[in-house]
Amino acid sequence: PEPGRGYRVVTQAKPGTAARAPTRVKAMDIMGMGSETVALLVKKNLVRTPADLYKLTYEELIQLDGFKERSVLNILDGVEASKSQPFERVLFAIGIRHVGATVAKKLVRHFKTIESLLSANREDLLAAEEIGEVIADQLLATFQKPEWRLEIERLRQYGLNFEAELKEQLSDSPISAKKIVVSGVFESISRNELKELIETLGGSNVSSISGKTDYVFAGEGMGPAKLKKATSLGVPILNEMEVRTLLNL
């Protein structure tokens, strides 16, 4: 196999159909696997879809012409390393028509997990940024096909990512980078649990109210001095029900 940087895996027009010529270059970025290697693996029927990459064995590869131990081990290491690729690259690599790298990223940012994406209806899909009717209809048609569901399940079994990375989730959090004062007692959650949740969602707990405070989460028994100061500074004061709504609890 030829040296150099990894090749983006070529997938078939339809999962499991080796007879169709590879139509799109995908985003799994297997290090040590160049275009000639991919073409050979497809020709030998070792790789039909991205999921087939993850069942390749040393014994299969070492028998191919020109494959030495070092190159085989490099390929297998590259395949294993590719399991850490983010969800949007995996979604791109599946090869859904009209879903390029940018659309895949928009879908992941909106739906967060493959479960949420697969359960979305047409209205849900159209609510995502830059997803129009053509793409929405293509997604719905694609995910109704058993072979695509099978491909996703195989990739999941091999350990690939099918949910947004934490930093991606935090960037969409309603309290990401917000400074929050928690005051009073909450019926449905303890103060410590609420503060931990704030940190998990990318917010910051602060002890005193100032002009830089973004929210006051106010439970029962909030001190009158804090209430007065927050009101005078125009800091939004949320009661327990409003907090639950904001944090989707």
Side-chain angles (χ1 to χ4, degrees), residues 104-172:
K105 185 172 292 187
K106 300 288 187 183
L107 288 169
V108 168
R109 181 170 297 172
H110 186 85
F111 290 101
K112 304 292 192 297
T113 68
I114 191 64
E115 291 84 3
S116 178
L117 178 58
L118 290 176
S119 64
N121 58 31
R122 194 170 190 268
E123 183 179 351
D124 296 331
L125 292 168
L126 291 173
E129 184 182 0
E130 296 186 17
I131 303 303
E133 294 182 354
V134 172
I135 295 177
D137 290 342
Q138 183 64 57
L139 285 165
L140 290 173
T142 297
F143 288 139
Q144 288 174 0
K145 297 177 181 179
E147 63 267 27
W148 289 99
R149 294 272 183 165
L150 176 61
E151 179 72 1
I152 290 167
E153 186 55 35
R154 290 180 67 208
L155 289 168
R156 292 182 70 165
Q157 290 178 357
Y158 287 124
L160 276 76
N161 290 321
F162 278 98
E163 63 179 50
E165 295 177 319
L166 181 59
K167 63 181 181 181
E168 187 70 51
Q169 297 183 39
L170 292 184
S171 68
D172 290 340

